[in-house]
Amino acid sequence: MAPLKKTEQTEAVNEDFRALFAMHPSPMWVYDPRSLRFLAVNEAAVALYGYGADEYPGMTVLDIRPEHEHKRMLDAVNGRTDIEMAERWVHRKASGETFEVLTYGREVCFEGGTAILAVVQDRTEINAARRQINDTRSLLDSIVDNLPVGVFVKDMEADGLYILFNEACGDIVGMRARDIVGRTDRALFAGGQTDAFRDQDRQAFEADAAISFEETMLRPDGAQRILRTVKRALPAPDGHAPRYLLGISQDVTEERAVKAKLAHLAMHDSLTGLPNRAAFARHIRECAIAESPIALLYIDVDHFKHINDSRGHAAGDALLCQVSERLMGQAEEGDLVARLGGDEFAVVLRLDEAERAQRFAERLLQALGSAFDLDGAREHVTCSVGIALAPDHAVDADVLMRHADLALYAAKESGRSTYRFYEAEMRLAAERRHVMTAELWEALEKRQFELHYQPIVQLDDDGIAGFEALIRWRHPRRGLVAPMDFIPLAEETGLIVPIGDWVIREACRTAAGWPEHLRIAVNLSVSQFRHASLLSTVVGALDQTGLNADRLEIEITESVFLTDVDQSLPLLRALKELGVRIAIDDFGTGYSSLSYLRSFPFDKIKLDRSFVSGIETDAGNLAIVRAVVGIGSGFNATTLAEGIETEEQLQKLRAEGFSEVQGYLLGRPMPREKAEALIYGGAPKAASSYK
């Protein structure tokens, strides 16, 4: 092919330019700098601005600009200030919508004359994206600034320079956030605090995950605050080494204070402030009792319930607080005083010498012996103390506590207001009580109990007035067990209630088959009498057996009646309304005041056997016998004397006017078969016939 001539070359270039100009995706046009008229407009510009291609020949570049941009455009054209450089403008579409563009102008030769080529970039999407970025950044900044936790970022390549520090973080450390950004820890905190922060930063950068730290820091205002901070190195792009450290901090001072308070409450008694049972148990188990001698003292306030019942729980609480103060007054540094609950306390003594435990117990009883001031009223109480020594009595904490408890039980059994050291026999006795308790339950289930009946003789005709039902236990190995050997344990364990219920039902069932003039007497213990089911038990027994209520005689002691008069009187009146007879048993051995006899119309007064013994020779006992006869007559109550063992005692009581008698002279307690043989045997009416 022959080379093109110069004119041909020029025309070819122009054709190439026109093709590129027309099809280029960027909006372009060529305009005359003198007339400002469009000379050429490509398809992209036509599409962007919305004018028809046939409209552009009659338009100038001012027509696509809002009026406030006209002067700036004219100045730019005249001064050629927008040539060979990018410039931001506001343009207007055919619809009237304005938008931002970036234009690049260049002088070109167009159709033999000087013209300006303008290339336009629509900034709408870019600006929208930038606004979105700015909005997102503003939102993130707002979120970070308003987070309730502190957030900070450090540039670790700039010596830990803070590049972000939100307001919450400033509040935590007691500084303004704007005063911290751009500074390092060394410029803000004391040396020790700075070293701690930098050590944390180092650990966080060496770890693959977030690390949590908690520490106490001193703020510039002098306040101590507890900070919990989580730090993590922010991963860098493209696998490069991390540069920035993110930290999230919380002020947990109040949280820790609440937690500490809850922990204190969990381990301390809310009333006295002493360590509680949990704290005591932990302490005693932490003691190296096999190596360091200690004494464990269990302390009970004797008859504390009487204070609560008579003076109210507020007075009881005040008493416990004063007892705890006196206990603390006797303790020394290194000792532990704890309240285990109710009126139970414990003391753990470090034993520098073996005699210290005994001296402490004696001083304690003396200190507690002084009167307590309960809202202006003076009250005296005593305490029982059980003591176990380690390692003498045990080297295991649990065993030591059990031994101290056994010693306390022994102190109570010894009359209270005393102390007892643990002895091996106490454990054996406890084991026997445990075995017997299980056997009592078994006896109740297997019907090993039986009733024996002791005759009651009326002295006006020497006939049988009735019987007193007395329980016996026919043990499969030990044979017949007397009440004194198991009733105290039944009282202690609460078994006396179901056993007593059985006695009432069985006595009524047996007596229902006897002649109607014979009565049956049943003893009630304190536990039975105070139990809510007693009345329903009596009603049920009478209904089931068909026994007339006036043939049942309930015997209670003075102490049972006076334990809780407010409960006793309504119950006795309810029983009386049923027709049941009520007798005072062991009369004369309890309270010295006889005023309670006026509170309730008892049907019978049973004189205790201690006043019958020696009646033949003791003028004092004889005087009491006569007084009881007078009391019975005055209150229209039957009088009965227990423990008749000699003919002379019987004749004396007959002469003094007693109504009824009971004792071995007249008949020992006997099985039902023998009692019924006595009832139906037609024996002669002489005292000796009942033996």
Side-chain angles (χ1 to χ4, degrees):
M1 179 182 293
L4 295 175
K5 296 181 179 179
K6 186 174 183 179
T7 302
E8 293 174 337
Q9 290 177 343
T10 301
E11 290 178 354
V13 170
N14 285 339
E15 286 300 322
D16 289 341
F17 170 78
R18 288 181 182 276
L20 178 63
F21 175 83
M23 302 303 297
H24 200 281
S26 296
M28 299 181 187
W29 61 74
V30 179
Y31 71 94
D32 182 352
R34 292 178 296 278
S35 65
L36 303 182
R37 289 190 177 277
F38 288 103
L39 301 178
V41 180
N42 73 352
E43 294 180 4
V46 172
L48 174 63
Y49 286 86
Y51 294 100
D54 57 344
E55 295 181 73
Y56 279 99
M59 297 172 58
T60 70
V61 293
L62 295 179
D63 293 331
I64 61 169
R65 287 171 169 79
E67 188 173 347
H68 67 272
E69 288 275 48
H70 287 186
K71 182 177 184 304
R72 179 178 167 225
M73 179 62 190
L74 293 174
D75 292 341
V77 172
N78 294 331
R80 296 293 194 271
T81 57
D82 64 342
I83 301 302
E84 302 293 341
M85 62 181 297
E87 188 75 23
R88 292 181 186 276
W89 296 92
V90 176
H91 283 186
R92 183 175 58 198
K93 296 182 179 181
S95 63
E97 175 190 352
T98 59
F99 62 105
E100 184 179 323
V101 297
L102 186 68
T103 63
Y104 180 85
R106 184 171 188 177
E107 284 192 0
V108 296
C109 182
F110 186 80
E111 295 182 350
T114 300
I116 296 177
L117 170 66
V119 181
V120 177
Q121 181 186 38
D122 183 358
R123 301 285 297 179
T124 302
E125 293 183 1
I126 295 175
N127 287 343
R130 179 170 292 173
R131 281 194 301 271
Q132 185 175 9
I133 292 172
N134 290 337
D135 290 346
T136 301
R137 176 173 293 176
S138 297
L139 177 62
L140 290 175
D141 289 344
S142 178
I143 291 173
V144 170
D145 283 339
N146 289 281
L147 281 173
V149 295
V151 178
F152 62 85
V153 176
K154 289 181 175 182
D155 184 349
M156 303 308 294
E157 291 185 2
D159 195 32
L161 190 78
Y162 285 102
I163 61 173
L164 186 148
F165 205 90
N166 72 348
E167 294 296 334
C169 212
D171 293 339
I172 291 172
V173 301
M175 304 180 193
R176 293 183 300 183
R178 63 176 177 271
D179 295 336
I180 293 178
V181 173
R183 303 173 73 182
T184 65
D185 290 327
R186 294 194 185 282
L188 297 167
F189 304 105
Q193 190 68 70
T194 296
D195 292 342
F197 285 159
R198 295 210 165 201
D199 183 60
Q200 295 171 8
D201 297 346
R202 178 187 56 77
Q203 293 181 53
F205 254 68
E206 292 175 354
D208 294 331
I211 298 182
S212 180
F213 305 93
E214 190 165 306
E215 63 189 321
T216 300
M217 73 164 292
L218 186 66
R219 299 197 326 182
D221 59 5
Q224 279 194 338
R225 309 300 292 177
I226 302 175
L227 270 63
R228 182 173 62 212
T229 303
V230 177
K231 292 184 177 182
R232 179 168 188 173
L234 293 176
D238 302 327
H240 290 92
R243 174 176 179 176
Y244 299 104
L245 178 74
L246 170 66
I248 299 175
S249 289
Q250 281 183 285
D251 185 339
V252 295
T253 308
E254 284 73 22
E255 179 184 333
R256 290 293 173 266
V258 171
K259 187 175 181 179
K261 184 175 182 180
L262 292 175
H264 179 86
L265 291 174
M267 303 300 285
H268 288 78
D269 174 47
S270 59
L271 176 64
T272 64
L274 294 176
N276 61 11
R277 184 181 291 274
F280 158 76
R282 184 174 67 181
H283 176 83
I284 197 73
R285 289 189 174 93
E286 290 174 352
C287 290
I289 60 178
E291 303 169 4
S292 303
I294 65 169
L296 172 58
L297 289 77
Y298 276 172
I299 302 154
D300 261 15
V301 179
D302 296 331
H303 305 300
F304 174 70
K305 188 176 184 302
H306 293 172
I307 298 294
N308 264 347
D309 291 345
S310 61
R311 297 193 49 80
H313 288 282
D317 289 348
L319 174 63
L320 293 174
C321 290
Q322 293 182 43
V323 168
S324 69
E325 290 171 3
R326 295 190 189 185
L327 286 172
M328 290 295 295
Q330 298 298 317
E332 299 176 2
E333 185 176 354
D335 298 336
L336 174 76
V337 178
R339 182 187 176 207
L340 304 184
D343 61 343
E344 302 175 39
F345 294 85
V347 178
V348 180
L349 301 179
R350 295 288 181 183
L351 293 183
D352 300 326
E353 50 182 332
E355 295 78 13
R356 188 187 172 210
Q358 182 173 348
R359 289 201 308 271
F360 183 91
E362 291 172 349
R363 289 201 314 270
L364 178 60
L365 291 176
Q366 184 178 3
L368 296 175
S370 302
F372 292 86
D373 184 357
L374 303 183
D375 196 20
R378 291 168 59 83
E379 293 284 351
H380 287 83
V381 298
T382 59
C383 289
S384 300
V385 184
I387 309 170
L389 305 178
D392 295 358
H393 297 149
V395 293
D396 178 80
D398 291 326
V399 175
L400 185 69
M401 288 187 282
R402 287 200 299 271
H403 288 176
D405 199 40
L406 290 172
L408 175 62
Y409 180 86
K412 293 179 179 180
E413 289 292 296
S414 299
R416 304 177 185 265
S417 188
T418 188
Y419 64 89
R420 288 286 303 274
F421 281 88
Y422 168 76
E423 299 172 3
E425 176 58 30
M426 296 175 184
R427 178 177 56 81
L428 297 176
E431 291 174 357
R432 287 194 295 269
R433 287 196 301 272
H434 178 74
V435 170
M436 183 173 281
T437 300
E439 290 179 339
L440 282 173
W441 278 109
E442 186 177 2
L444 194 60
E445 294 170 356
K446 295 185 176 180
R447 302 180 179 275
Q448 294 173 2
F449 294 116
E450 58 186 59
L451 293 183
H452 283 203
Y453 302 89
Q454 185 173 29
I456 299 171
V457 176
Q458 51 194 21
L459 291 179
D460 58 352
D461 61 359
D462 288 341
I464 299 176
F467 291 84
E468 180 178 359
L470 301 168
I471 190 170
R472 298 291 186 268
W473 177 14
R474 192 165 294 280
H475 194 279
R477 294 185 304 277
R478 296 198 293 271
L480 206 60
V481 182
M484 67 180 67
D485 295 329
F486 67 88
I487 289 297
L489 181 60
E491 292 265 11
E492 180 184 327
T493 59
L495 269 168
I496 193 66
V497 174
I499 291 175
D501 289 351
W502 175 84
V503 169
I504 292 173
R505 292 194 302 271
E506 181 65 14
C508 290
R509 186 184 66 80
T510 300
W514 294 344
E516 292 189 358
H517 70 280
L518 295 180
R519 296 191 178 95
I520 187 71
V522 177
N523 285 290
L524 292 185
S525 69
V526 174
S527 300
Q528 283 178 275
F529 193 71
R530 298 185 65 182
H531 200 272
S533 65
L534 175 61
L535 184 60
S536 61
T537 297
V538 172
V539 172
L542 294 174
D543 288 344
Q544 291 168 13
T545 62
L547 183 72
N548 289 334
D550 62 353
R551 295 180 59 196
L552 175 62
E553 196 166 84
I554 297 293
E555 296 183 0
I556 63 171
T557 62
E558 297 165 276
S559 59
V560 170
F561 174 68
L562 295 173
T563 296
D564 188 347
V565 176
D566 290 339
Q567 178 193 1
S568 302
L569 281 176
L571 178 56
L572 288 175
R573 287 170 181 152
L575 291 170
K576 189 82 168 176
E577 288 177 3
L578 290 174
V580 175
R581 291 169 56 84
I582 309 296
I584 279 287
D585 197 11
D586 298 336
F587 183 77
T589 61
Y591 292 81
S592 58
S593 173
L594 301 178
S595 60
Y596 68 89
L597 290 175
R598 295 181 299 178
S599 303
F600 184 79
F602 291 96
D603 297 289
K604 182 181 287 187
I605 299 174
K606 294 184 67 173
L607 181 65
D608 187 68
R609 65 180 63 246
S610 62
F611 297 108
V612 174
S613 177
I615 191 177
E616 309 95 319
T617 58
D618 190 328
N621 281 1
L622 182 59
I624 292 174
V625 167
R626 290 172 177 167
V628 171
V629 172
I631 292 171
S633 176
F635 286 99
N636 196 28
T638 301
T639 53
L640 182 149
E642 297 181 282
I644 313 304
E645 297 182 353
T646 68
E647 191 72 32
E648 189 174 356
Q649 290 172 350
L650 177 61
Q651 297 307 324
K652 280 280 188 183
L653 292 166
R654 189 194 301 274
E656 293 300 333
F658 259 77
S659 308
E660 298 175 349
V661 288
Q662 179 182 354
Y664 283 180
L665 176 68
L666 308 166
R668 292 175 178 272
M670 60 191 74
R672 185 189 69 188
E673 295 80 6
K674 290 188 177 182
E676 292 180 348
L678 184 63
I679 294 171
Y680 300 111
K685 295 182 179 180
S688 60
S689 66
Y690 306 120
K691 296 179 184 177

